[in-house]
Amino acid sequence: VKQRHDESLLPVATSLTMTGQNTEGWYPPGHGDIYASFYNSGLLDQLIAQGKEYIFVSNIDNLGATVDLHILHHLVSQPNGKRCEFVMEVTDKTRADVKGGTLIQYEGKLRLLEIAQVPKAHVDEFKSVSKFKIFNTNNLWISLAAIKRLQEQKAMDMEIIVNPKTLDGGQNVVQLETAVGAAIKCFDNALGINVPRSRFLPVKTTSDLLLVMSNLYSLEAGSLTMSPKREFPTTPHVKLGSSFTKVQEYLTRFESIPDMLELDHLTVSGDVTFGKNVSLKGTVIIIANHGDRIDIPAGSMLENKIVSGNLRILDH
């Protein structure tokens, strides 16, 4: 799909090639594209021929999205005419999730409402945790036969999200996108299921990665579960600075991942490294100013501490 100019609404790409000046003229059209791609590729028919009934779809960065046998059992135990064709897993909103899409009842159907569809005057209302208590995890269970029916009838109707962007050269464009969950209104007996927060564990940044690599989580049968040794079921708030943004650099800054079982909040800024077997508890803030470096010594235990200044530890 081509990007379009704001002014003329013409495509940016002048031909179907993906090289030269056209390189910037293409963009991924949002995950709503899955239905057409699935159908057109022949994979949908292939799975139906194998006797498969449902597909489980989730965001690639959601490490909490595993096949839940309770949900699967609910799907297959319904009588034939009452079969649920679409399940959206939702979970309770926290302050970190105020931008997440939510489910609304509209004209007798469940619909997904995304922040991009909300008029500016109502955005605060949309973000309200008391008015919209849940958000879409994008863990979806969808009937294969229903996808086939809707694709053949050309009845897969998803709202178009208009996403304004600026190209590297400063040119304003719009990207037209669709979201996979927006099709919920097309399916029969669609359902939202409120699931535990543990089924929504996205890893988008190295701050998220630090949490899942730490002893806060263990891997059992392919599922990440929070350690029973942690007293509070909430995850610590971790903010790693720009020196940790790239995974390669992040990995070189930790000789081993610190013990974080009793951590509430960690902020790290500047040129900071961690020695082996460091333990972090409560609120820990480590700030190395420009030109300074802080090496947290191996075996350190930091509890409710602010660390600043300059500390170099070099091999002798």
Side-chain angles (χ1 to χ4, degrees), residues 112-151:
L112 177 65
L113 180 66
E114 299 273 13
I115 193 163
Q117 297 167 295
V118 178
K120 277 204 166 63
H122 291 280
V123 164
D124 285 343
E125 200 180 338
F126 175 83
K127 288 180 174 178
S128 151
V129 179
S130 54
K131 182 149 194 174
F132 297 104
K133 295 182 170 65
I134 51 148
F135 75 99
N136 168 27
T137 64
N138 232 28
N139 296 350
L140 308 169
W141 303 74
I142 314 170
S143 155
L144 295 176
I147 297 175
K148 186 173 167 74
R149 182 188 76 236
L150 291 166
Q151 280 297 134

Side-chain angles (χ1 to χ4, degrees), residues 1-5 9-18 22-29 167 173-177:
V1 183
K2 301 174 178 126
Q3 293 178 323
R4 297 166 180 269
H5 296 282
L9 295 182
L10 289 170
V12 172
T14 50
S15 70
L16 293 175
T17 61
M18 316 263 292
N22 276 347
T23 316
E24 271 204 308
W26 300 88
Y27 67 94
L167 300 185
V173 297
V174 289
Q175 292 183 185
L176 305 179
E177 300 173 12

Side-chain angles (χ1 to χ4, degrees), residues 34-274:
I34 186 173
Y35 302 109
S37 302
F38 196 28
Y39 177 76
N40 294 336
S41 68
L43 184 58
L44 176 63
D45 284 330
Q46 210 177 307
L47 293 179
I48 290 172
Q50 291 169 10
K52 306 282 195 296
E53 291 182 49
Y54 284 93
I55 183 176
F56 175 59
V57 182
S58 65
N59 289 352
I60 198 163
D61 61 18
N62 182 6
L63 301 191
T66 54
V67 171
D68 183 280
L69 296 179
H70 300 293
I71 296 176
L72 189 56
H73 181 260
H74 177 78
L75 286 173
V76 297
S77 62
Q78 302 297 309
N80 263 350
K82 292 274 165 63
R83 273 283 175 97
C84 174
E85 293 185 342
F86 193 107
V87 162
M88 176 179 286
E89 294 185 30
V90 296
T91 195
D92 293 348
K93 252 191 201 180
T94 68
R95 275 199 292 270
D97 316 305
V98 290
K99 291 183 176 177
T102 193
L103 277 181
I104 57 169
Q105 193 92 18
Y106 187 77
E107 293 177 348
K109 286 271 191 181
L110 273 183
R111 288 206 181 194
L112 177 65
L113 180 66
E114 299 273 13
I115 193 163
Q117 297 167 295
V118 178
K120 277 204 166 63
H122 291 280
V123 164
D124 285 343
E125 200 180 338
F126 175 83
K127 288 180 174 178
S128 151
V129 179
S130 54
K131 182 149 194 174
F132 297 104
K133 295 182 170 65
I134 51 148
F135 75 99
N136 168 27
T137 64
N138 232 28
N139 296 350
L140 308 169
W141 303 74
I142 314 170
S143 155
L144 295 176
I147 297 175
K148 186 173 167 74
R149 182 188 76 236
L150 291 166
Q151 280 297 134
E152 285 177 348
Q153 294 172 356
K154 297 195 168 22
M156 196 70 80
D157 177 29
M158 291 170 280
E159 290 82 10
I160 304 262
I161 296 164
V162 179
N163 198 350
K165 294 263 175 171
T166 306
L167 300 185
D168 290 344
Q171 185 184 15
N172 289 328
V173 297
V174 289
Q175 292 183 185
L176 305 179
E177 300 173 12
T178 56
V180 59
I184 189 168
K185 65 177 191 286
C186 309
F187 291 85
D188 294 336
N189 304 316
L191 200 61
I193 295 183
N194 197 331
V195 296
R197 182 72 187 204
S198 56
R199 291 191 57 73
F200 184 69
L201 188 58
V203 175
K204 294 183 190 292
T205 63
T206 49
S207 301
D208 301 331
L209 187 59
L210 182 63
L211 287 172
V212 299
M213 285 177 75
S214 76
N215 57 349
L216 281 168
Y217 288 95
S218 56
L219 195 59
E220 290 169 39
S223 291
L224 279 168
T225 49
M226 190 173 279
S227 168
K229 292 180 186 159
R230 181 163 173 87
E231 282 183 39
F232 311 101
T234 55
T235 50
H237 194 62
V238 173
K239 284 196 291 194
L240 299 178
S242 57
S243 307
F244 290 79
T245 305
K246 290 196 164 69
V247 173
Q248 288 312 104
E249 198 176 357
Y250 151 87
L251 291 170
T252 62
R253 291 182 176 276
F254 291 96
E255 275 193 58
S256 70
I257 302 296
D259 161 24
M260 292 164 55
L261 279 176
E262 293 177 48
L263 179 69
D264 298 320
H265 182 117
L266 173 67
T267 296
V268 182
S269 177
D271 189 358
V272 177
T273 66
F274 291 80

